């Protein structure tokens, strides 16, 4: 699962790196930690407008839902990549509603046993590419009207690094390697090509990671601050604390 992300870059840097302009630049503000269960606005490059950056609600609402978006009770923050062509929720989007979701980091829980007990606890980890560079999650979207995009982040089985961090669920979001970003939003792809792309498109770059404060799990606390990204000591002694961090 990937329920929390960051995008700390200024608008100008995003425009320069992505080679796209914001449709609504006044809506974008850098963020350090947002949770899909609370703050839900992401920014995407959608297949149907691949030259621009759009704001999007983080929770895909499918066409079969006829009520208000807030009445849709299913958790669609993430979509299992293995299931998107067999799911009524995601099949249409997999075929013609793919998108790039902008980010420069994300958060996953690491499960450990509290020392001296048999109680399982979770410590959050912050994961980035080297130098916290901008990247794109593979996403799916559905539009509720001409300007309201709703989105989900694709996930797949964790690689060795992510299985160590997200050691309970052993899943990871699909971070696209740079060579595959344009391909992901290519409208000419068929189902087989899309499945093949999912299997080969995860980034080849090293993932950097470090533990951060458990305050991100507390309700009512403003976690959208730079200090939330600062490393804290790892509680699980099996985690490698010698890896380089961003700070």
């Amino acid at each position: 699962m990937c329920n929390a992300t960051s995008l700390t870059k200024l608008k100008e840097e995003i425009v320069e790196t992505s080679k796209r302009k914001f449709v609504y630049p006044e809506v974008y503000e850098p963020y350090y930690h947002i949770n899909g269960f609370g703050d839900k606005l992401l920014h995407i490059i959608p297949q149907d407008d691949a030259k621009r950056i759009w704001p999007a609600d983080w929770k895909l609402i499918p066409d079969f839902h006829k009520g208000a978006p807030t009445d849709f009770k299913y958790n669609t923050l993430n979509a299992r990549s293995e299931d998107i062509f067999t799911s009524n929720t995601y099949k249409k989007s997999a075929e013609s509603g793919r998108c790039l979701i902008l980010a420069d980091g994300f958060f996953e829980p690491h499960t450990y046993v509290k020392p001296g007990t048999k109680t399982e606890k979770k410590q959050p980890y912050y994961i980035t590419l080297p130098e916290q560079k901008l990247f794109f999650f593979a996403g799916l979207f559905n539009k509720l009207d001409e300007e309201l995009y709703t989105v989900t982040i694709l996930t797949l089985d964790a690689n060795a690094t992510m299985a160590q961090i997200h050691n309970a669920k052993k899943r990871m979001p699909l971070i696209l390697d740079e060579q595959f970003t344009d391909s992901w939003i290519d409208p000419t792809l068929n189902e087989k090509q899309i499945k093949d792309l999912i299997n080969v498109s995860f980034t080849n770059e090293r993932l950097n990671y470090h533990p951060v404060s458990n305050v991100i799990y507390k309700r009512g606390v403003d976690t959208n601050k730079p200090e939330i990204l600062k490393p804290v000591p790892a509680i699980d002694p099996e985690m490698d604390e010698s890896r380089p961090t961003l700070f």
Side-chain angles (χ1 to χ4, degrees):
M1 302 293 287
C2 177
N3 298 328
T5 70
S6 71
L7 183 55
T8 66
K9 305 291 184 286
L10 297 176
K11 283 193 288 280
E12 296 78 10
E13 185 175 355
I14 292 173
V15 168
E16 181 179 356
T17 302
S18 70
K19 305 298 189 290
R20 276 96 165 177
K21 292 184 178 180
F22 288 84
V23 176
Y24 298 111
E26 70 277 8
V27 173
Y28 175 75
E29 291 185 0
Y31 58 86
Y32 303 90
H33 173 262
I34 63 166
N35 189 312
F37 295 106
D39 304 304
K40 300 188 297 180
L41 190 66
L42 300 176
H43 277 78
I44 70 170
I45 299 168
Q47 183 177 338
D48 65 343
D49 191 4
K51 300 298 183 183
R52 299 196 293 175
I53 301 170
W54 282 84
D57 282 352
W58 189 3
K59 182 178 182 179
L60 187 143
I61 310 296
D63 285 341
F64 64 71
H65 177 70
K66 301 305 180 184
T70 53
D71 294 334
F72 188 69
K73 303 304 181 184
Y74 296 96
N75 179 357
T76 56
L77 301 179
N78 296 160
R80 289 175 55 88
S81 58
E82 302 92 331
D83 303 332
I84 56 176
F85 283 101
T86 58
S87 166
N88 289 334
T89 301
Y90 301 120
K91 187 174 190 300
K92 174 191 169 186
S93 297
E95 293 171 342
S96 59
R98 299 184 301 281
C99 63
L100 307 174
I101 300 176
L102 284 70
D104 61 9
F106 65 102
F107 301 79
E108 294 288 8
H110 174 74
T111 302
Y112 66 95
V113 177
K114 185 177 179 180
T117 75
K118 296 182 179 180
T119 305
E120 286 191 345
K121 298 285 187 178
K122 296 183 185 298
Q123 182 174 35
Y125 273 69
Y126 182 55
I127 303 104
T128 69
L129 295 186
E131 300 179 354
Q132 201 178 1
K133 67 186 291 186
L134 181 73
F135 62 79
F136 301 112
F137 293 121
L140 304 178
F141 73 83
N142 191 44
K143 293 177 74 172
L144 302 188
D145 59 38
E146 286 304 309
E147 295 195 341
L148 180 53
Y149 288 88
T150 67
V151 297
T152 186
I153 296 174
L154 262 65
T155 66
L156 62 165
D157 286 337
N159 61 18
T161 299
M162 285 304 303
Q164 181 187 17
I165 299 169
H166 198 194
N167 56 337
K169 298 289 187 179
K170 288 185 167 56
R171 300 287 292 180
M172 65 181 183
L174 176 46
I175 301 172
L176 292 165
D177 196 76
E178 289 182 0
Q179 64 179 310
F180 295 117
T181 54
D182 288 339
S183 299
W184 180 248
I185 53 176
D186 180 350
T188 69
L189 298 185
N190 60 35
E191 180 176 333
K192 181 182 183 304
Q193 290 171 321
I194 294 167
K195 288 179 177 178
D196 289 344
L197 186 58
I198 289 171
N199 290 333
V200 302
S201 62
F202 190 82
T203 181
N204 288 314
E205 296 195 64
R206 183 189 66 193
L207 296 177
N208 286 344
Y209 59 86
H210 62 261
V212 294
S213 171
N214 277 51
V215 72
I216 69 170
Y217 296 146
K218 294 182 179 180
R219 295 183 179 181
V221 177
D222 181 8
T223 57
N224 188 18
K225 297 180 178 181
E227 54 264 32
I228 206 66
L229 303 183
K230 292 183 178 180
V232 301
I235 298 174
D236 186 347
E238 294 185 2
M239 293 298 287
D240 180 8
E241 297 182 57
S242 65
R243 292 182 62 90
T245 69
L246 305 176
F247 300 90

